[in-house]
Amino acid sequence: MTETQLKVKVLKHIKRKYPNAWCYKTSDKFRSGVPDLLVLYKGKLLAMELKSAKGKTSKLQDWTLAQILIAGGKIGVCSTIDAVDRVFEAAGFKK
């Protein structure tokens, strides 16, 4: 599955399972390293980088995720829907 296909599935999954979550699919062509999805749910920010099964985060993506974590946000790198659920749970996003 490509990252684009995964992104579509993840967005549908989040909207179904967490209907009150606000999701923003990033597509900044002028700034690299920004996570693929920003999710705001019950006052908490979760930044998710989506990767295909063989994909790896870049050093810039790792740095950006670390900065979000330092600022108090939650982060996750996911390549499956199950991983998304685990990241949501670890972030404290409960229905």
Side-chain angles (χ1 to χ4, degrees):
M1 177 181 328
T2 67
E3 282 186 35
T4 301
Q5 291 169 326
L6 177 62
K7 193 181 294 188
V8 169
K9 287 186 178 207
V10 166
L11 282 169
K12 286 180 182 179
H13 178 73
I14 292 171
K15 288 179 182 180
R16 184 177 57 249
K17 191 164 182 178
Y18 300 91
N20 294 324
W22 177 85
C23 298
Y24 179 73
K25 178 181 72 165
T26 63
S27 61
D28 192 338
K29 295 176 183 161
F30 303 104
R31 182 173 176 180
S32 299
V34 177
D36 295 309
L37 290 178
L38 300 176
V39 181
L40 185 62
Y41 186 66
K42 295 187 177 181
K44 296 179 184 177
L45 175 70
L46 172 62
M48 283 198 301
E49 184 61 44
L50 302 175
K51 292 292 177 189
S52 64
K54 295 180 181 179
K56 294 177 78 176
T57 55
S58 69
K59 288 182 181 183
L60 180 56
Q61 289 170 327
D62 290 338
W63 181 85
T64 303
L65 290 170
Q67 294 303 304
I68 292 168
L69 191 60
I70 289 167
K74 306 295 183 180
I75 61 169
V77 178
C78 303
S79 58
T80 65
I81 297 295
D82 288 339
V84 170
D85 285 336
R86 286 191 299 273
V87 166
F88 264 68
E89 187 176 312
F93 284 34
K94 297 178 182 173
K95 288 172 51 170

XYZ file of all heavy atoms in Angstrom:
745
model
N 0.845 -1.174 0.000
C 0.000 0.000 0.000
C 0.893 1.241 0.000
O 1.848 1.328 0.762
C -0.892 -0.030 1.254
C -1.762 1.166 1.409
S -2.832 1.217 2.886
C -3.223 -0.460 3.223
N 0.561 2.209 -0.842
C 1.333 3.437 -0.903
C 0.959 4.349 0.268
O -0.066 4.144 0.925
C 1.052 4.201 -2.212
O -0.301 4.659 -2.202
C 1.319 3.337 -3.431
N 1.790 5.365 0.500
C 1.486 6.322 1.566
C 0.179 7.059 1.287
O -0.599 7.324 2.202
C 2.625 7.320 1.724
C 3.798 6.764 2.485
C 4.861 7.796 2.773
O 4.517 8.973 3.020
O 6.045 7.431 2.755
N -0.071 7.379 0.036
C -1.308 8.073 -0.324
C -2.520 7.197 -0.032
O -3.518 7.673 0.533
C -1.286 8.474 -1.811
O -0.155 9.320 -2.037
C -2.557 9.193 -2.206
N -2.461 5.923 -0.387
C -3.562 4.997 -0.099
C -3.754 4.852 1.407
O -4.882 4.828 1.899
C -3.282 3.626 -0.728
C -3.338 3.636 -2.233
C -2.805 2.340 -2.835
O -1.885 1.721 -2.300
N -3.368 1.948 -3.966
N -2.650 4.763 2.143
C -2.722 4.654 3.603
C -3.358 5.911 4.193
O -4.209 5.816 5.073
C -1.329 4.433 4.186
C -1.236 4.366 5.708
C -2.055 3.193 6.252
C 0.215 4.268 6.151
N -2.982 7.075 3.687
C -3.526 8.327 4.200
C -5.049 8.368 4.043
O -5.763 8.754 4.961
C -2.887 9.514 3.480
C -3.157 10.842 4.145
C -2.526 12.000 3.390
C -1.027 11.941 3.409
N -0.391 13.150 2.840
N -5.560 7.936 2.892
C -7.002 7.914 2.647
C -7.686 6.978 3.642
O -8.700 7.335 4.253
C -7.303 7.501 1.185
C -8.782 7.208 0.990
C -6.837 8.582 0.224
N -7.122 5.782 3.829
C -7.714 4.811 4.757
C -7.671 5.317 6.204
O -8.627 5.148 6.957
C -7.000 3.464 4.651
C -7.341 2.725 3.391
C -6.736 1.337 3.386
C -7.158 0.645 2.111
N -7.196 -0.783 2.222
N -6.567 5.929 6.583
C -6.422 6.434 7.948
C -7.427 7.549 8.209
O -8.080 7.570 9.258
C -4.974 6.905 8.217
C -4.882 7.724 9.488
C -4.029 5.709 8.276
N -7.575 8.468 7.274
C -8.537 9.563 7.457
C -9.961 9.027 7.605
O -10.706 9.471 8.479
C -8.452 10.538 6.287
C -7.270 11.500 6.336
C -7.114 12.226 5.005
C -7.430 12.486 7.467
N -10.342 8.069 6.784
C -11.678 7.461 6.893
C -11.848 6.780 8.247
O -12.893 6.893 8.885
C -11.916 6.469 5.763
C -12.156 7.121 4.428
C -12.383 6.078 3.351
C -12.577 6.733 1.996
N -12.770 5.734 0.927
N -10.824 6.070 8.679
C -10.858 5.354 9.955
C -11.021 6.331 11.122
O -11.849 6.113 12.013
C -9.585 4.523 10.113
C -9.498 3.787 11.406
N -10.256 2.674 11.688
C -8.743 4.020 12.511
C -9.975 2.251 12.909
N -9.059 3.036 13.431
N -10.243 7.400 11.112
C -10.316 8.382 12.198
C -11.691 9.039 12.230
O -12.295 9.182 13.296
C -9.205 9.446 12.061
C -7.832 8.811 12.314
C -9.441 10.607 13.027
C -6.662 9.720 11.983
N -12.202 9.416 11.070
C -13.516 10.071 11.019
C -14.626 9.148 11.510
O -15.589 9.592 12.105
C -13.798 10.561 9.604
C -12.959 11.758 9.244
C -13.217 12.223 7.832
C -12.298 13.393 7.515
N -12.495 13.906 6.171
N -14.475 7.851 11.260
C -15.480 6.885 11.704
C -15.354 6.609 13.201
O -16.339 6.600 13.929
C -15.341 5.582 10.900
C -16.387 4.528 11.212
C -16.256 3.273 10.344
N -14.939 2.656 10.456
C -14.034 2.636 9.471
N -14.274 3.196 8.318
N -12.860 2.059 9.642
N -14.140 6.411 13.676
C -13.932 6.013 15.064
C -13.923 7.202 16.028
O -14.330 7.068 17.184
C -12.616 5.244 15.188
C -12.442 4.560 16.519
C -11.349 3.532 16.467
C -11.243 2.823 17.810
N -10.231 1.786 17.789
N -13.478 8.361 15.560
C -13.392 9.572 16.374
C -14.078 10.708 15.615
O -13.400 11.613 15.101
C -11.930 9.930 16.659
C -11.182 8.858 17.403
C -10.478 7.867 16.729
C -11.193 8.830 18.788
C -9.807 6.879 17.416
C -10.515 7.848 19.483
C -9.831 6.868 18.787
O -9.162 5.892 19.463
N -15.404 10.697 15.527
C -16.108 11.673 14.688
C -15.907 13.131 15.109
O -16.066 14.026 14.278
C -17.574 11.269 14.798
C -17.665 10.415 16.015
C -16.327 9.786 16.204
N -15.539 13.385 16.351
C -15.331 14.761 16.799
C -13.884 15.216 16.683
O -13.545 16.329 17.104
C -15.807 14.929 18.247
C -17.306 14.749 18.349
O -18.049 15.144 17.462
N -17.748 14.125 19.417
N -13.034 14.381 16.124
C -11.630 14.758 15.940
C -11.510 15.705 14.740
O -12.213 15.563 13.740
C -10.771 13.513 15.707
N -10.637 16.680 14.883
C -10.322 17.575 13.778
C -9.042 17.070 13.142
O -8.027 16.878 13.825
C -10.129 19.001 14.306
C -9.731 19.983 13.249
C -10.554 20.670 12.413
C -8.395 20.408 12.930
N -9.812 21.491 11.594
C -8.488 21.347 11.893
C -7.135 20.077 13.425
C -7.375 21.958 11.332
C -6.021 20.678 12.865
C -6.146 21.611 11.832
N -9.074 16.811 11.835
C -7.913 16.281 11.116
C -7.497 17.251 10.023
O -8.343 17.792 9.309
C -8.234 14.947 10.463
S -8.684 13.650 11.591
N -6.206 17.430 9.896
C -5.664 18.254 8.830
C -4.610 17.448 8.099
O -3.636 16.975 8.706
C -5.050 19.540 9.394
C -4.460 20.420 8.328
C -5.284 21.136 7.465
C -3.089 20.530 8.170
C -4.745 21.937 6.470
C -2.542 21.331 7.181
C -3.379 22.030 6.339
O -2.846 22.814 5.351
N -4.834 17.257 6.826
C -3.891 16.534 5.975
C -2.927 17.564 5.403
O -3.325 18.415 4.613
C -4.654 15.811 4.869
C -3.795 15.062 3.897
C -4.642 14.407 2.835
C -5.170 15.492 1.937
N -5.717 15.115 0.691
N -1.693 17.499 5.830
C -0.724 18.502 5.389
C -0.254 18.204 3.971
O -0.213 17.056 3.533
C 0.496 18.554 6.334
O 1.163 17.299 6.293
C 0.081 18.891 7.747
N 0.103 19.248 3.277
C 0.667 19.115 1.933
C 1.484 20.364 1.634
O 1.278 21.020 0.633
C -0.435 18.918 0.895
O -1.298 20.036 0.881
N 2.370 20.691 2.538
C 3.183 21.894 2.403
C 4.320 21.644 1.420
O 5.234 20.877 1.697
C 3.734 22.304 3.775
C 4.333 23.687 3.767
O 4.710 24.173 2.683
O 4.412 24.279 4.839
N 4.249 22.289 0.289
C 5.267 22.110 -0.749
C 6.496 22.981 -0.497
O 7.496 22.853 -1.163
C 4.678 22.438 -2.113
C 3.582 21.482 -2.510
C 2.949 21.888 -3.800
C 1.812 20.911 -4.081
N 0.854 21.387 -5.020
N 6.393 23.876 0.474
C 7.475 24.809 0.717
C 8.277 24.497 1.982
O 9.290 25.108 2.233
C 6.916 26.239 0.809
C 6.164 26.622 -0.425
C 4.782 26.643 -0.431
C 6.833 26.911 -1.609
C 4.085 26.980 -1.581
C 6.149 27.245 -2.756
C 4.767 27.274 -2.748
N 7.781 23.541 2.781
C 8.478 23.194 4.014
C 8.475 21.683 4.177
O 7.424 21.062 4.302
C 7.794 23.844 5.209
C 8.509 23.549 6.492
C 7.936 24.319 7.639
N 8.619 23.889 8.844
C 8.368 24.365 10.020
N 7.459 25.299 10.169
N 9.014 23.930 11.069
N 9.637 21.102 4.215
C 9.769 19.653 4.366
C 9.723 19.267 5.834
O 9.992 20.084 6.710
C 11.094 19.180 3.764
O 11.134 19.470 2.403
N 9.388 18.013 6.093
C 9.447 17.479 7.445
C 8.166 17.567 8.238
O 8.075 17.012 9.322
N 7.157 18.273 7.730
C 5.894 18.410 8.452
C 5.161 17.065 8.399
O 5.041 16.465 7.336
C 5.015 19.520 7.827
C 3.681 19.612 8.526
C 5.747 20.850 7.867
N 4.660 16.557 9.544
C 3.961 15.270 9.550
C 2.748 15.272 8.606
O 2.156 16.312 8.329
C 3.509 15.111 11.003
C 4.444 15.966 11.777
C 4.762 17.127 10.880
N 2.368 14.092 8.153
C 1.285 13.946 7.176
C -0.076 14.360 7.720
O -0.881 14.929 6.988
C 1.201 12.491 6.692
C 2.432 12.080 5.918
O 2.804 12.809 4.987
O 3.018 11.037 6.251
N -0.337 14.046 8.969
C -1.642 14.360 9.565
C -1.465 15.054 10.907
O -0.636 14.649 11.719
C -2.458 13.085 9.815
C -2.994 12.325 8.631
C -3.725 11.078 9.109
C -3.921 13.179 7.796
N -2.277 16.077 11.114
C -2.373 16.719 12.417
C -3.788 16.472 12.902
O -4.748 16.753 12.186
C -2.100 18.214 12.305
C -0.726 18.602 11.761
C -0.617 20.105 11.615
C 0.383 18.064 12.642
N -3.915 15.918 14.099
C -5.223 15.577 14.651
C -5.373 16.280 15.993
O -4.488 16.190 16.846
C -5.359 14.044 14.862
C -6.727 13.700 15.421
C -5.095 13.300 13.559
N -6.484 16.968 16.159
C -6.804 17.602 17.430
C -8.044 16.922 17.978
O -9.074 16.843 17.293
C -7.057 19.097 17.237
C -7.291 19.903 18.510
C -6.068 19.864 19.416
C -7.647 21.333 18.162
N -7.924 16.383 19.193
C -9.037 15.648 19.780
C -9.043 15.893 21.283
O -8.045 15.627 21.962
C -8.912 14.159 19.475
C -10.075 13.331 19.922
C -11.334 13.493 19.352
C -9.921 12.376 20.903
C -12.408 12.719 19.755
C -10.990 11.587 21.316
C -12.233 11.772 20.736
O -13.297 11.007 21.137
N -10.142 16.433 21.768
C -10.309 16.720 23.194
C -9.131 17.507 23.767
O -8.617 17.201 24.833
C -10.536 15.425 23.977
C -11.850 14.753 23.598
C -12.153 13.574 24.482
C -13.507 12.984 24.110
N -13.879 11.864 24.935
N -8.708 18.518 23.027
C -7.657 19.412 23.502
C -6.240 18.900 23.362
O -5.311 19.530 23.853
N -6.056 17.783 22.716
C -4.714 17.221 22.544
C -4.363 17.188 21.057
O -5.199 16.869 20.221
C -4.647 15.800 23.099
C -4.869 15.722 24.588
C -4.804 14.289 25.061
C -5.122 14.186 26.542
N -5.135 12.797 26.995
N -3.099 17.512 20.764
C -2.611 17.481 19.396
C -1.802 16.211 19.166
O -0.916 15.885 19.954
C -1.723 18.697 19.109
C -1.063 18.684 17.730
C -2.101 18.907 16.634
C 0.033 19.723 17.645
N -2.112 15.532 18.087
C -1.373 14.346 17.669
C -0.867 14.582 16.258
O -1.654 14.898 15.361
C -2.273 13.108 17.702
C -1.716 11.818 17.106
C -0.469 11.356 17.850
C -2.770 10.732 17.117
N 0.423 14.471 16.072
C 1.042 14.595 14.756
C 1.443 13.194 14.300
O 2.164 12.489 15.013
C 2.264 15.500 14.821
N 0.944 12.797 13.122
C 1.239 11.452 12.628
C 1.962 11.505 11.296
O 1.527 12.190 10.374
C -0.046 10.642 12.454
C -0.590 10.128 13.743
S -1.767 8.774 13.534
C -2.992 9.538 12.530
N 3.034 10.772 11.235
C 3.756 10.569 9.990
C 3.328 9.197 9.482
O 3.391 8.206 10.218
C 5.266 10.613 10.238
C 6.096 10.498 8.993
C 5.850 11.629 8.012
O 5.772 12.800 8.419
O 5.736 11.328 6.813
N 2.862 9.141 8.255
C 2.409 7.882 7.666
C 3.471 7.376 6.702
O 4.008 8.143 5.895
C 1.074 8.076 6.944
C -0.054 8.617 7.827
C -1.293 8.885 6.988
C -0.370 7.652 8.954
N 3.754 6.102 6.787
C 4.777 5.494 5.946
C 4.267 4.182 5.377
O 3.523 3.454 6.044
C 6.058 5.215 6.756
C 6.779 6.464 7.195
C 7.352 7.172 5.994
C 8.026 8.469 6.334
N 8.377 9.222 5.136
N 4.706 3.865 4.175
C 4.416 2.547 3.610
C 5.174 1.524 4.445
O 6.022 1.878 5.269
C 4.844 2.490 2.140
O 6.242 2.653 2.041
N 4.882 0.258 4.230
C 5.488 -0.800 5.045
C 7.019 -0.730 5.046
O 7.651 -1.026 6.051
C 5.018 -2.162 4.553
N 7.612 -0.337 3.939
C 9.071 -0.276 3.842
C 9.614 1.136 4.040
O 10.816 1.348 4.009
C 9.523 -0.808 2.489
C 9.214 -2.279 2.299
C 9.674 -2.771 0.964
C 9.322 -4.238 0.782
N 9.728 -4.757 -0.512
N 8.727 2.095 4.260
C 9.145 3.488 4.382
C 9.814 3.782 5.711
O 9.564 3.117 6.717
N 10.692 4.777 5.709
C 11.383 5.208 6.922
C 11.306 6.725 7.002
O 11.276 7.410 5.992
C 12.855 4.785 6.871
C 13.061 3.281 6.894
C 14.522 2.931 6.760
C 15.182 3.151 8.107
N 16.597 2.748 8.122
N 11.294 7.231 8.208
C 11.285 8.676 8.388
C 12.676 9.246 8.087
O 13.693 8.590 8.304
C 10.893 9.065 9.824
O 11.763 8.407 10.740
C 9.452 8.711 10.117
N 12.682 10.476 7.596
C 13.947 11.160 7.337
C 14.441 11.811 8.628
O 13.704 11.924 9.609
C 13.745 12.234 6.265
O 12.950 13.292 6.783
N 15.677 12.261 8.607
C 16.223 12.953 9.785
C 15.418 14.214 10.082
O 15.163 14.529 11.241
C 17.694 13.303 9.561
C 18.605 12.107 9.607
C 20.045 12.497 9.425
C 20.923 11.259 9.448
N 22.343 11.587 9.342
N 15.000 14.923 9.045
C 14.210 16.132 9.240
C 12.843 15.806 9.831
O 12.361 16.501 10.727
C 14.045 16.896 7.921
C 13.239 18.187 7.995
C 13.832 19.152 9.029
C 13.183 18.837 6.621
N 12.218 14.731 9.378
C 10.935 14.308 9.951
C 11.100 13.925 11.416
O 10.276 14.291 12.257
C 10.345 13.147 9.153
C 9.835 13.569 7.792
C 9.478 12.389 6.909
O 10.091 11.322 6.975
N 8.480 12.584 6.064
N 12.154 13.199 11.724
C 12.423 12.826 13.122
C 12.615 14.077 13.985
O 12.096 14.149 15.101
C 13.668 11.937 13.221
C 13.459 10.553 12.639
O 12.294 10.109 12.526
O 14.473 9.906 12.289
N 13.346 15.060 13.481
C 13.583 16.296 14.219
C 12.267 17.031 14.454
O 11.998 17.492 15.567
C 14.567 17.185 13.455
C 14.859 18.458 14.179
C 15.800 18.656 15.158
C 14.207 19.713 14.001
N 15.763 19.963 15.596
C 14.789 20.635 14.897
C 13.177 20.152 13.168
C 14.376 21.962 14.986
C 12.768 21.477 13.255
C 13.372 22.362 14.156
N 11.440 17.132 13.415
C 10.158 17.834 13.530
C 9.257 17.139 14.543
O 8.632 17.792 15.384
C 9.459 17.920 12.157
O 10.338 18.579 11.232
C 8.153 18.680 12.248
N 9.187 15.818 14.488
C 8.377 15.072 15.455
C 8.888 15.303 16.875
O 8.097 15.468 17.810
C 8.364 13.584 15.116
C 7.585 13.199 13.850
C 7.842 11.740 13.484
C 6.096 13.462 14.016
N 10.194 15.343 17.035
C 10.778 15.591 18.361
C 10.405 16.990 18.857
O 10.098 17.169 20.045
C 12.298 15.435 18.311
N 10.404 17.983 17.982
C 10.031 19.343 18.365
C 8.566 19.419 18.798
O 8.219 20.123 19.749
C 10.295 20.324 17.210
C 11.760 20.482 16.874
C 12.577 20.934 18.063
O 12.299 21.965 18.667
N 13.587 20.160 18.423
N 7.700 18.679 18.115
C 6.279 18.634 18.481
C 6.127 17.992 19.860
O 5.368 18.463 20.701
C 5.461 17.890 17.408
C 5.433 18.726 16.119
C 4.040 17.577 17.901
C 4.914 17.989 14.907
N 6.870 16.928 20.107
C 6.838 16.260 21.398
C 7.323 17.196 22.510
O 6.690 17.304 23.565
C 7.702 14.997 21.334
C 7.607 14.019 22.477
C 6.190 13.481 22.633
C 8.579 12.873 22.263
N 8.406 17.912 22.272
C 8.941 18.854 23.253
C 7.919 19.948 23.560
O 7.791 20.390 24.706
C 10.271 19.468 22.747
C 11.376 18.404 22.773
C 10.678 20.694 23.564
C 12.631 18.788 22.025
N 7.158 20.352 22.539
C 6.157 21.418 22.709
C 4.884 20.925 23.395
O 3.987 21.712 23.662
C 5.812 22.023 21.357
N 4.813 19.633 23.692
C 3.664 19.097 24.420
C 2.674 18.325 23.586
O 1.657 17.848 24.094
N 2.941 18.178 22.297
C 2.064 17.386 21.439
C 2.383 15.911 21.550
O 3.377 15.510 22.166
N 1.544 15.106 20.959
C 1.762 13.659 20.888
C 2.165 13.342 19.454
O 1.762 14.036 18.516
C 0.489 12.892 21.248
C -0.118 13.283 22.579
C 0.785 12.943 23.730
C 0.101 13.293 25.048
N 0.900 12.992 26.188
N 2.938 12.278 19.262
C 3.429 11.944 17.932
C 3.293 10.452 17.672
O 3.173 9.647 18.611
C 4.900 12.357 17.749
C 5.802 11.629 18.758
C 5.055 13.863 17.849
C 7.288 11.768 18.470
N 3.319 10.089 16.407
C 3.321 8.689 16.036
C 3.716 8.516 14.591
O 3.492 9.402 13.757
N 4.344 7.389 14.300
C 4.678 6.999 12.937
C 3.925 5.709 12.676
O 4.067 4.745 13.436
C 6.201 6.798 12.760
C 6.519 6.340 11.348
C 6.957 8.069 13.111
N 3.107 5.687 11.634
C 2.207 4.563 11.406
C 2.294 4.054 9.969
O 2.398 4.841 9.032
C 0.764 4.972 11.676
S 0.504 5.615 13.331
N 2.199 2.734 9.839
C 2.150 2.144 8.500
C 0.927 1.237 8.342
O 0.744 0.649 7.283
C 3.436 1.370 8.200
O 3.636 0.359 9.157
N 0.113 1.120 9.405
C -1.110 0.319 9.340
C -2.206 0.997 10.170
O -1.910 1.837 11.009
C -0.903 -1.107 9.914
O -0.625 -0.991 11.320
C 0.223 -1.851 9.215
N -3.442 0.575 9.930
C -4.566 1.082 10.721
C -4.410 0.647 12.182
O -4.697 1.418 13.103
C -5.913 0.591 10.154
C -6.129 1.144 8.734
C -7.074 0.962 11.060
C -6.269 2.631 8.641
N -3.944 -0.569 12.412
C -3.721 -1.035 13.785
C -2.715 -0.136 14.508
O -2.873 0.163 15.688
C -3.224 -2.482 13.798
C -4.306 -3.482 13.428
O -5.506 -3.133 13.541
O -3.959 -4.596 13.017
N -1.688 0.293 13.797
C -0.696 1.188 14.397
C -1.330 2.529 14.753
O -1.012 3.116 15.790
C 0.482 1.391 13.448
N -2.245 2.999 13.922
C -2.953 4.254 14.207
C -3.730 4.113 15.513
O -3.680 4.982 16.383
C -3.891 4.637 13.043
C -4.812 5.784 13.430
C -3.080 4.990 11.803
N -4.441 3.008 15.670
C -5.198 2.780 16.905
C -4.275 2.732 18.119
O -4.597 3.282 19.170
C -6.021 1.492 16.808
C -7.247 1.641 15.928
O -7.736 2.784 15.753
O -7.726 0.617 15.409
N -3.120 2.100 17.983
C -2.170 2.032 19.103
C -1.632 3.424 19.448
O -1.500 3.771 20.619
C -1.013 1.082 18.776
C -1.408 -0.389 18.822
C -0.207 -1.307 18.763
N 0.576 -1.165 17.543
C 0.338 -1.823 16.402
N -0.686 -2.663 16.320
N 1.125 -1.638 15.361
N -1.356 4.232 18.437
C -0.862 5.593 18.676
C -1.945 6.432 19.351
O -1.653 7.172 20.280
C -0.378 6.228 17.352
C -0.191 7.729 17.491
C 0.908 5.574 16.888
N -3.178 6.314 18.892
C -4.282 7.051 19.521
C -4.409 6.662 20.984
O -4.583 7.514 21.853
C -5.599 6.765 18.781
C -5.934 7.807 17.747
C -5.171 7.948 16.605
C -7.028 8.640 17.905
C -5.476 8.898 15.658
C -7.351 9.595 16.963
C -6.570 9.724 15.828
N -4.346 5.369 21.262
C -4.460 4.898 22.637
C -3.303 5.398 23.490
O -3.498 5.887 24.599
C -4.511 3.365 22.667
C -4.785 2.804 24.024
C -4.938 1.279 24.001
O -5.671 0.781 23.142
O -4.301 0.632 24.841
N -2.081 5.316 22.966
C -0.897 5.782 23.708
C -0.950 7.290 23.950
O -0.446 7.777 24.962
C 0.371 5.417 22.948
N -1.588 8.024 23.042
C -1.715 9.476 23.187
C -2.816 9.874 24.159
O -2.968 11.040 24.486
C -1.970 10.113 21.818
N -3.577 8.882 24.610
C -4.657 9.169 25.534
C -5.954 9.611 24.853
O -6.806 10.209 25.473
N -6.069 9.325 23.571
C -7.266 9.680 22.810
C -8.296 8.573 23.002
O -8.271 7.572 22.317
C -6.942 9.795 21.329
C -6.217 11.050 20.933
C -5.305 11.652 21.770
C -6.430 11.618 19.700
C -4.631 12.807 21.393
C -5.760 12.763 19.313
C -4.862 13.355 20.154
N -9.190 8.767 23.956
C -10.231 7.774 24.221
C -11.561 8.325 23.785
O -11.825 9.504 23.957
C -10.238 7.404 25.690
C -8.947 6.759 26.117
C -8.938 6.440 27.574
C -7.579 5.842 27.926
N -7.415 5.640 29.335
N -12.385 7.471 23.236
C -13.710 7.895 22.776
C -14.565 8.350 23.922
O -14.418 8.042 25.034
C -14.404 6.758 22.034
C -13.783 6.528 20.694
C -14.243 5.338 19.927
C -15.633 5.050 19.697
N -16.019 4.063 18.829
